[in-house]
Every structure is written in C-alpha cells, then in structure tokens.
Amino acid sequence: MERVTARNHAFLASKYHHRGTSRTSQLRAARVPARAASTGRTVLTPVAQKDPILLRAARGEAVERPPVWLMRQAGRYMADFRKFSEVIPFRERSETASIAIELSLQPYKAFKTDGVIMFSDILTPLPAIGVEFDVIRGKGPRIENPLRTKEDFLRLRPMEDVDDKCPFLREILSSLRKELDGSDATLIGFVGTPWTLAAYAIEGKAERDCKNTKIMMMQDPQLLHQILSHFADAIAVYACHQIECGAQIVDLFDSWSHHLSPAQASEFSHPYAQRVMDAVKAKYPDTPLMFHANGGTGKFNRIRDEITADVIGLDWACDMSDARSVFGRKQTLQGNVDPMILFGDEETIRAAVKDCVGQAGQRHILGVGHGVIQGTPEESVGIFCDAARQSVYENVAVSA
C-alpha cells in the first residue's frame, strides 16, 4: 500500500504542481481476492481464518463488543483527505482506482475502524444506465438532463457489463479486499436505494422539497413506478457486482427517505429497496445487507415489517432504546450517535458511546446517525472508535 500512496502523491505533484500543491453463524473460509495471472481478472480464493468482528456482527453472531465504523469516515474532516479533495474533482478521485483505494484506507489506518467502506458515491452507477452527472465543488451533484417525462424514461439503459461501464470498481474493491486480508476489518460496499437515486435523477440536484418527484408522484405515479422498477433492477446488478469484486457487506442508503411520509415510503421506497435485497440474496444469500434510511424515524414499524435487511441503520433523531423496542433483540441495529457529539470533549464523546451501546445492547454496530461532518476534529473520531473498542460486553460466549 505504501507504493500506492507514493504513486498517488507523485500523481498529485505532477498533475497539480501549477497550483502550488504537493501531493469483509460460525467460523468460515474467508473469501479473499487474488489476481489471475493469465486474465488479469479478480478471482476469489478460500483462506481459513476467523472472520472480522463487523462481518460476524452483521450476520447476527455473538461478538465481544460493538464493532465500529462511521458513514463518510473518509471525508474532508481529515487533512490527508483534503490533499486530494482540494485539487482533484470528485469523480476523478472516486473513479481513479489508486486514489479511491488510498482515500478508503485513510480512516482505517488512522482510527482502526472495523469497517472500510469504499470511497465512491451513490450516483456512481447512473452513467451506466444513461444518466450522466457531475459533482460541483461547493454545490454537490448535478444532473444536466433529469428524468421528467416518459421519453426520458425510455432512454434509460439496462445495467449490463459493469466491468465495462465502471471499470475502476473491480480494481478498487479487489485491491481493498487484498489489503485487508488477515486484518480484523470488513470491506463494505454500498448503493443508493431506488427511491433515492430516482429522486436525484428526477430533481437533477439536491432539492429541499423534492418538488418534481413529488409532482410526478401525484400526477403520474405510473411513470414514477416505472422509473423505480428500472432503477431497482439496475442497482441489484450493481450491488451483486460489488460482492463479486470483494465487498463483504453491502449497505443500501435511502438518503432521501426524509422526503416521504410513512405511507409513501411503503409504496415508493421500501418495495423497491426490498426488491434489490431479494435479488442480491438470491445470488449471494450469505452476504449481509444493511439498510439505512435517513429520516427513518417515524417509519420504524413499516421498516420492521417491510424490510428484511440483516442490519437496520438508524439516524440520530431517535433514542436507540425506542428503536430496540420496535425491532426487538434479534435485529442487528446500527448507529446512531449524533455526529455533532464529535465536536464535544473526550468525556462527552465517551459518555455518548456508553449511552448508545447501553441502550442498544448486543446485536449492535456502533456508528454516527449520519455522516461525519466537515470540520470534525480528527482526534474525536479516534476517541469515538477507542470508546467502542473498550465497550466489551459481559457474559457473551463468542465462537473461537
């Protein structure tokens, strides 16, 4: 990995010197990627070893403590991350394998998180089905030709040959999996849910009222369902491809769930997210799936009854104890400390972790209820992860 880092810094220095900058039940045979010499394609070779704590927790196995990782753990709050983000556009960073690999590993190396999530974006697969996007610094994603009409929908393509359409993905995930081989860290892939991606594609950007999508919902719900159906099939293929490339868990982010009422979520989001999960589980039944709804508070009963994810992620707008009472003790929950807690002092951070872990009990993966916020002190993330490692459960029998 040191060679990758050195190469990336040389890349930064050479390309941007004019800007003044220098720059994965029981013990199982873990499947780790190796490179086939004759074809250059990734193959998976079984190696007997104890599975990482996060993977075991996501499968619902007893573990000795809550594993920890954070959404947006690779982000601009890290000085090393900013060396790249300040000079290289987002898509170039996320679609250049050597850079995406290094950015994915930065928080793991700094804080020893139990999960390594690949550096990418939920919108990354959209160009493969005919929806081009860019990420504009300071403004976020922009889709110049949003989906608004039946004609726009008919121009969508199926998700086919992901290696050809997203050639960087296999190298990123297989290299990360190889890098983590023998460690106690799990490689996490992720996708956006059909609702969230469709709404982005219809709005063309982040929009406070989700107006165009809601108008379509009210005036032409059949068209919206057609778009959601197309996106569900495409996302299922993309998620399966991530697993084939080395991802040990896949997280489904319903980032725009907060735009939906509970009844709307039951019609326009949950069935399509579940369709993705059903397709992935049909092909990879042993791969844990996570579902995180931003704005899921208020929809817990529906999520419990309509979503069969191995892990349910929670935002910070609920008490973990309330979620536990709804989902029960057999459901693994993830979250849900307010990310702003990380701006507090060490005592405050450790108290928040203790409270969250205490309310959750076992079958819990610790994290923040949303992404790590820009400006968060790096040392606070370290304290948060250390507090998780020190939160050892009592009287737990763990398979050896």
Side-chain angles (χ1 to χ4, degrees):
M1 199 63 228
E2 288 76 10
R3 289 194 298 271
V4 172
T5 301
R7 184 164 68 248
N8 285 335
H9 283 264
F11 170 80
L12 284 165
S14 62
K15 187 168 184 179
Y16 299 99
H17 68 278
H18 61 283
R19 301 189 189 186
T21 57
S22 60
R23 311 285 213 238
T24 171
S25 56
Q26 303 171 349
L27 296 179
R28 307 189 179 196
R31 293 166 62 81
V32 297
R35 184 68 65 181
S38 60
T39 65
R41 297 288 296 273
T42 297
V43 296
L44 297 175
T45 305
V47 177
Q49 64 181 52
K50 184 176 181 179
D51 286 332
I53 186 171
L54 176 57
L55 182 57
R56 290 183 281 126
R59 290 196 298 236
E61 299 175 16
V63 293
E64 57 272 24
R65 62 168 177 83
V68 58
W69 72 281
L70 301 86
M71 291 182 287
R72 294 184 191 162
Q73 62 187 22
R76 287 177 288 174
Y77 72 98
M78 296 187 71
D80 285 344
F81 182 96
R82 293 195 297 273
K83 293 176 183 177
F84 292 85
S85 66
E86 290 176 355
V87 295
I88 305 177
F90 178 84
R91 286 194 63 179
E92 186 175 353
R93 279 180 278 138
S94 63
E95 298 177 17
T96 301
S98 62
I99 297 176
I101 291 165
E102 181 169 347
L103 295 179
S104 301
L105 288 169
Q106 282 179 351
Y108 168 67
K109 291 179 175 179
F111 314 119
K112 296 304 176 187
T113 53
D114 294 305
V116 172
I117 187 165
M118 71 168 176
F119 179 74
S120 187
D121 192 87
I122 59 172
L123 302 185
T124 294
L126 291 190
I129 62 172
V131 181
E132 289 293 336
F133 78 97
D134 198 4
V135 178
I136 301 174
R137 183 173 174 82
K139 296 183 179 181
R142 291 291 186 272
I143 295 171
E144 292 300 321
N145 297 299
L147 305 179
R148 301 281 173 82
T149 67
K150 181 75 168 182
E151 290 70 28
D152 294 332
F153 164 69
L154 293 174
R155 286 196 293 269
L156 291 175
R157 302 189 296 263
M159 179 68 75
E160 297 175 333
D161 195 356
V162 185
D163 271 324
D164 179 62
K165 300 294 175 40
C166 304
F168 46 87
L169 192 62
R170 183 175 294 274
E171 183 177 355
I172 292 169
L173 285 168
S174 64
S175 297
L176 286 170
R177 183 72 179 273
K178 185 175 181 179
E179 177 73 18
L180 298 176
D181 181 27
S183 75
D184 197 25
T186 300
L187 179 56
I188 306 169
F190 70 93
V191 295
T193 61
W195 159 254
T196 290
L197 292 187
Y200 246 122
I202 294 167
E203 298 301 327
K205 61 181 180 179
E207 211 280 328
R208 184 178 65 179
D209 298 314
C210 205
K211 184 177 179 180
N212 291 292
T213 313
K214 287 294 195 78
I215 289 174
M216 186 183 294
M217 183 187 294
M218 298 300 114
Q219 298 182 1
D220 196 353
Q222 182 180 5
L223 177 58
L224 180 54
H225 280 296
Q226 288 176 312
I227 294 172
L228 288 165
S229 179
H230 189 100
F231 274 58
D233 291 341
I235 294 163
V237 172
Y238 188 67
C240 286
H241 184 75
Q242 292 186 22
I243 296 168
E244 291 158 11
C245 292
Q248 294 166 289
I249 295 173
V250 175
D251 204 335
L252 286 78
F253 289 119
D254 202 4
S255 305
W256 283 20
S257 177
H258 62 287
H259 286 298
L260 297 172
S261 71
Q264 289 169 345
S266 290
E267 179 177 358
F268 295 99
S269 177
H270 297 170
Y272 295 100
Q274 186 61 44
R275 181 164 156 182
V276 173
M277 289 185 283
D278 287 343
V280 175
K281 283 292 188 177
K283 194 170 184 180
Y284 298 105
D286 296 328
T287 299
L289 300 179
M290 299 171 166
F291 176 81
H292 179 91
N294 180 38
T297 301
K299 306 179 180 82
F300 283 169
N301 290 324
R302 292 175 187 263
I303 293 173
R304 178 197 61 200
D305 296 340
E306 297 165 0
I307 296 293
T308 63
D310 300 278
V311 179
I312 297 296
L314 306 170
D315 64 28
W316 53 267
C318 69
D319 282 332
M320 179 63 76
S321 59
D322 291 339
R324 180 57 79 193
S325 68
V326 173
F327 289 100
R329 291 287 167 188
K330 293 183 178 181
Q331 174 69 61
T332 301
L333 300 178
Q334 179 171 274
N336 71 330
V337 175
D338 180 353
M340 289 303 296
I341 290 289
L342 298 177
F343 286 88
D345 59 20
E346 179 171 355
E347 182 180 1
T348 298
I349 296 168
R350 292 187 181 276
V353 169
K354 182 178 180 179
D355 181 57
C356 183
V357 172
Q359 290 188 40
Q362 298 175 31
R363 294 196 181 227
H364 174 223
I365 298 167
L366 182 68
V368 289
H370 202 359
V372 180
I373 296 168
Q374 185 177 1
T376 296
E378 293 187 42
E379 58 269 24
S380 295
V381 178
I383 292 167
F384 185 85
C385 294
D386 181 68
R389 287 189 291 269
Q390 294 188 25
S391 300
V392 179
Y393 298 132
E394 296 181 359
N395 303 317
V396 177
V398 179
S399 299

